[in-house]
Amino acid sequence: MNYFPDEVIEHIFDYVLSHRDRNALSLVCKSWYRIERCTRQRVFIGNCYSITPERLIQRFPGLKSLTLKGKPHFADFSLVPYGWGGFVSPWIEALAKSRVGLEELRLKRMVVSDESLELLSRSFTHFKSLVLVSCEGFTTDGLAAIAANCRFLRELDLQENEVEDHKGQWLSCFPDSCTSLVSLNFACLKGEVSLGALERLVARSPNLKSLKLNRSVPLDALQRIMMRAPQLADLGIGSFAHDPESEAYIKLKNTILKCKSITSLSGFLEAAPHCLEAIYPICSNLTSLNMSYAAGIQGSDLIKLIRHCVKLQRLWIMDCIGDKGLSVVAMTCKDLQELRVFPSVHLGNPAAVTEEGLVAISKGCPKLHSLLYFCHQMTNAGLIEVAKNCPNFIRFRLCILDATKPDPDTMQPLDEGFGAIVQSCRRLRRLSLSGQLTDQVFLYIGMYAEKLEMLSIAFAGESDKGMVYVLNGCKKLRKLEIRDCPFGNMALLTDVGKYETMRSLWMSSCEVTVGACKLLAKKMPRLNVEIFNENEQEDCSLEDGQKVEKMYLYRTLAGKRKDAPEYVWTL
Amino acid sequence: MSPPLLVAEEEGQSNASMVASASSQPLDRFSPNEARLKERNYLGLSDCSSVESSTAPSLSGGKKENLNLKATELRLGLPGSQSPERDPDLFSLNSAKLDEKPLFPLLPTKDGICSLSQKTVVSGNKRGFADTMDPEFPGNAGINMMLSPKPAGVQPTTVKEIPSKVLQERPSPANGTGHNHTGASISGSAPASKAQVVGWPPIRSFRKNSLATTSKNNDEVDGKPGPAALFVKVSMDGAPYLRKVDLRNYTTYLELSSALEKMFSCFTLGQCGSHGAPGREMLSESKLKDLLHGSEYVLTYEDKDGDWMLVGDVPWDMFIDTCKRLKIMKGSDAIGLAPRAMEKSRSRS
């Protein structure tokens, strides 16, 4: 390869797209490093504090697409106090100052301000795609800036963000000249949008393939929108409640019949059960269905709907479907690959799911590879059978609502069940445990889960050995998050070098002390070891023997960060 | 399984600052005697043998032994300190525990939580599910004073033996900003005494808040839990037949009146069936609107007492609670009410 001119090598590198492969290329030799960095267009940074924006820009001048993740995963569950960090503004400012022609920005769990959005919208003429997932800190004013200034915007995708509604008409800020939209998702917005502006926007966007509305868009507006966009493939319905005898509803039913290209449905944020039958005609085309926000829909209605969905590959649903409903899914959706069953907590619904439903799914859907399952109980026998039927799991996340519940049939811990999963599913990359678990399950994980990259543990284990098994055994481990487990200093300090091979480690309500964290920080200068001290006392000096309530450590080349709030102590 | 390898690793490691051998603990407070370790080790997993055993020894046997030994075991904990029993039936109260009280709770009692439950002085580093229940404070660091590690993994989800008190202590679930939201909702009926933990079950706050909003909206319309339809008859003077509407489909008077306008538009022009061309429909609808706003027609309802009331006086939820049927009256029949209706409809539109 050394004898080829650079242009040839560049051309070959064009075919190498995955981040990992590209990273590997850059390690081969200096010239490959040089060529790779100049041709790299897409960069993924899993922890925004692992590197500085300046360094990123210096290395990849041709950057077009940047993905950044901020807060630790457990921030989703209110375990990270407010103000921890994850601010995107330094990144946008640095990029704006540089000559980078940014076209795509994808953020997850970051704090985004209106000013940043405004700066973003004005700084990059060819900006095409903004995807914000679980972010916060901005309002509809920021969205207005994006709409108004990004002349070639193709994608504006807002997923589960906390957005303050400022009642401005941000949708109306899309100029008439904007006809390039391919994907628009504002389902998470709480406020109203101008329906007229929305309809006109849809009408002048012939490439619009994905549209997800919020709950303020009523059924009759939905009908008019669908009329104008028969090419839609992915639809998120806002409000879906209407008198079934009304004209609007009848019109909608007729319109839906024409939308044969819809393969993905979601939303149903305000849904009345009797309206669901309007969708039956297109169910047979669906490959993806997300009913996990449809609070008003009962299990029986869900089952009736599912019976039509024979091509489903991805299903997100609430547990009111029940075990019986999952049997129907197993019978109907033979191509199912991803299943998420969420708890219908707001209704205290008795018809929740158990191991029965999961076993039924595993029998009927052998292609299943991703699972998120909230259930009331699980048995070892059930897990063993699931492991046998579905050896292809890549993601297996089980959440028993009662976090330390044993196998109800045998009163045993669930070690054997999860052990069977890791032993059978050799491609497993992500695992979340729950139920009563001893150190044994961690032994199994350390031994068998060779490809495991992310592990989430809560209320499990008996001693430091559990954590040590995992740290020793899982060579590919990147993210480890632990809460309320009896793992302490011995486990933490057993292999300090391991943490530089990982992205991050989270430990909360464990047995780790300040002294051990300080020691770790001292030994490993390229780790940031953060302790959250939420004690309200003013003179909180951290004594070595004190237990740490929350610790988050991550590898970094950027050193100690300067934007940490008062309660974060970087050791 | 290759147990020897793992054991060798453990023993071979010599960490300068910490003795990595699993059989002894480096810090003083980690040194409850091994006899105790074994006694409390329900699954029989002692330091080395855990690695070799391929199947966990029967739990019930171990447990039985433990229960018998409990009373006589040598403990370093405080007298009266009680390790929570594993409670197989989550929702049953363990009556035995009601009699036991912590004699010397080591913790300063924080708002009387200690006095409420057995969980306060937990001898063991594995905190049971219930132990982390601490709605008052963000951090739970204070609760677990006994720092000795306990290999007994079977920490129960201890049910509060005085559930009603606990519920009073807890901030009202409906107002809970975040952490106890989900748990509170789960503990609707039977699991009323279930302990609530920050961040458990692991559901994204966005999802929790969003569904809470939805159910609140549903409740506003319904007035009671559950999405049962509320169909009422709607009659119009001069129309040959009545219609029915589901009041749950609407959340404001405006929605209701516009729906009714559309429904009855055909009758005002003396035409049955509103399935005509869109142009004609819109004409009739707007004509009806004009008629209504011109106070030719008035919307009234019959309430639970059988009285005919003007629609629009009371809040929406109260209205659907009391409305039994609707009637679109001619203005001439509603003398005295009509001017008010006009004002009302004008102010609403």
Side-chain angles (χ1 to χ4, degrees), chain A residues 218-328:
Chain A
L219 193 125
D220 52 339
L222 172 67
Q223 185 269 325
R224 290 191 293 271
I225 288 168
M226 288 176 79
M227 280 284 283
R228 295 187 193 274
Q231 78 285 0
L232 272 181
D234 179 9
L235 176 66
I237 291 177
S239 170
F240 206 62
H242 220 278
D243 183 351
E245 293 161 41
S246 68
E247 293 159 31
Y249 182 71
I250 295 169
K251 267 202 246 178
L252 178 71
K253 278 171 84 161
N254 292 333
T255 307
I256 286 181
L257 287 171
K258 298 190 194 115
C259 294
K260 288 295 181 192
S261 45
I262 293 185
T263 56
S264 168
L265 264 186
S266 61
F268 299 96
L269 306 174
E270 306 268 0
H274 55 258
C275 293
L276 282 185
E277 58 176 20
I279 313 175
Y280 291 172
I282 52 169
C283 282
S284 52
N285 298 332
L286 291 180
T287 55
S288 167
L289 178 63
N290 181 354
M291 302 286 292
S292 64
Y293 281 97
I297 311 289
Q298 309 274 36
S300 48
D301 304 307
L302 287 174
I303 293 174
K304 271 194 263 176
L305 181 67
I306 298 276
R307 283 194 203 278
H308 294 86
C309 304
V310 291
K311 284 203 203 147
L312 221 51
Q313 293 171 16
R314 174 165 64 182
L315 176 63
W316 290 26
I317 204 155
M318 300 194 75
D319 66 359
C320 50
I321 196 174
D323 287 329
K324 295 271 182 311
L326 289 176
S327 303
V328 174

Side-chain angles (χ1 to χ4, degrees), chain A residues 551-562:
Chain A
M551 179 204 71
Y552 180 57
L553 67 82
Y554 50 91
R555 67 180 175 189
T556 178
L557 296 174
K560 187 169 163 174
R561 61 183 172 113
K562 300 186 186 64

